[in-house]
Structures are given as C-alpha cells and as structure tokens.
Amino acid sequence: MDIETARTFLEIVSSGSFMAAAERLHVTQTAVSARVRTLEQQLGRPLFTRNKRAGVRLTPAGLRFVRHAASLVQGWERARQHVALPPGREDGISVGAEPAIWRPFLSEWLVWMHHRCPEVALRAEVEPPQRLLERIDDGSLDMAMLYNPAPRPGLVCELLLEEKLVLVTSNADGSFDPHRYVHVDWGAGFWVNFQSAFPDLPNPPVALSLGPLALTYVLEVGGAGYFRAGTVAPFVKRGALFPVQGAPEFSHSASVVYAAQNQGAVLARAREGLHAVAARIGGNASIEVEPGEEYGARIADPEFQ
C-alpha cells in the first residue's frame, strides 16, 4: 500500500464522500474509487458502505484502520520533512495556527525558536481550525495553536492560556446599544453562549470573522463588541473603550494540539516555547500589538530570548 492510498482513505473519512475527497486531492472520483478498491483488496475487508442518501460510512474494519492509516501518513510526512532539511539544520517542525491566534502566539513563538533552537528548521501556516485538526491527523503538521479546539480521538489538547472575551463599548457611560453591536465570530462555543445570554438581541448590522478588524471598526466608528480582555485593556485604560457593566464574560482558551504518538524532543522544545509565550502574554494584559506598534521593541527583550 502506498501513502497516497492511505491519504485518500483519510480524506474520505474526513469529508464523508468520495466526491469531496476527490476535490480536496485534486484527482477524479474514479481515481479515488480505484484507490479504495485496491486498499480493500489488500486488506481483504470492505472499508466503506455506500448509500446514495447517507453517503459513505466506515465498516467495523474501516474504523479499525483509521488509526493505522493516520500513523502511516504521519510517519511518512515526518520522514519526508526530516530528509529534506536545509543545510545547517538538524531537525524540523511544522506548525499551524488559526487566523485569530497567529498574533501574538505564532509571531512570538517563531522569535523564541530562532533564539533558543537555531538548529531547527521551521514551517508555519495559518489555516481554519478544522483544516488544522485534519492536518495534525494526517501528519502534515506537528502541532497547531487553536482557540477552544473540539476534542478529537488520538490528539492531545494542551492548555496554553485561559483568556476571556469581554463586552466593551465606545459609549462613555458604558451603556450597551444592541443596534450598534458588532458581532465577531469567536467560534461555535462562543455563539452558543452568546445566544443564551442575549436571546432577544436583533441580528447585528455588522458581523466580522476577524477580531482585530472588528476592533478597528469599533474604534473608528463606534459601537460595541466582544473582544479578548488583553486586547482591549490598553484601550479601556486610556478611555477609548468602556466595559459594559453586568455583561457576561466568556472563556476563550488557547491550546496547542498535537498527535498523541508525537512525543519527540523537538516537539517538547517547541511546546516549551509556546508556554513561555503564553506566560509572557498572561503576565502582560497589553501584550497585543496596538495600531501602529511594531513587534521589534518587545521581542528584542533579552529576557524573552
């Protein structure tokens, strides 16, 4: 069995259909079907049941094979990256982060690794949370940084920082005008809690998927929104924003996710760097970059290096 066959099997499991897997892999549906037939012949067991209404489902044999297929793909990806190391590097690690977490976590972690682990080659990517979890599963990423990641078999979710989402407004009296509320997509968990806390809130006139963009909007034109407490602390301190008194606060935990069997020394060192960044962020509520500020002054701190 080749690696592409195992990867195809995992894509079908992830997407739920042969057609979706073919689109992701940029091959024809016929090629996907042929790979599955070959795999089933090699294993001597059917791996999927096909149903036009329900799509494809794993058989008991297919369920047992998932973990082995993931291990095969992960092992190949690690071997490929290790062999392809650039000159002067002894090992390598690939990391991912969702769009809302790359700053400051990913940015400062890269600097930490540069100073503490110069012998390690680095590859970092920013992708949606679901895709990051899939890539941890298939071994193309060693670890990923996410907010409130959903539990997934075979993956370790290690807490980095417990943050809060707080409601702030541009109104100096701290009053909340629901018609000027700017909704930020902080994930499914936040949405459930938000709806429970504000069941009668009208549909927001502005909805944005990126926290920094929403914060810039509120600062420029006014309004209210939920933001990370550390992000808005400096704006509250100087009177640009005001807490909405009595508004509920919601948990927004940052975690690093990695495969349970991936316990190498490089990953351990990389996680150490993430915890160092988390400790630095947790000890400084204003660690977020403000408009016009550059990272250089902070990450050049000898104590951080």
Side-chain angles (χ1 to χ4, degrees), residues 237-295:
K237 184 177 181 179
R238 66 173 179 247
L241 293 173
F242 305 87
V244 176
Q245 299 301 318
E249 298 178 349
F250 303 117
S251 174
H252 195 56
S253 303
S255 299
V256 56
V257 179
Y258 54 93
Q261 67 267 32
N262 189 0
Q263 299 291 340
V266 175
L267 179 66
R269 192 73 168 128
R271 286 160 44 213
E272 178 188 342
L274 285 176
H275 283 285
V277 171
R280 182 176 171 85
I281 295 170
N284 184 352
S286 63
I287 197 71
E288 288 285 341
V289 171
E290 300 178 28
E293 181 188 354
E294 299 295 338
Y295 275 105

Side-chain angles (χ1 to χ4, degrees), residues 50-56:
R50 285 80 161 174
N51 185 297
K52 289 185 177 179
R53 291 184 178 180
V56 296

Side-chain angles (χ1 to χ4, degrees), residues 82 141 178 194 237 278:
H82 191 271
L141 286 177
F194 177 80
K237 184 177 181 179

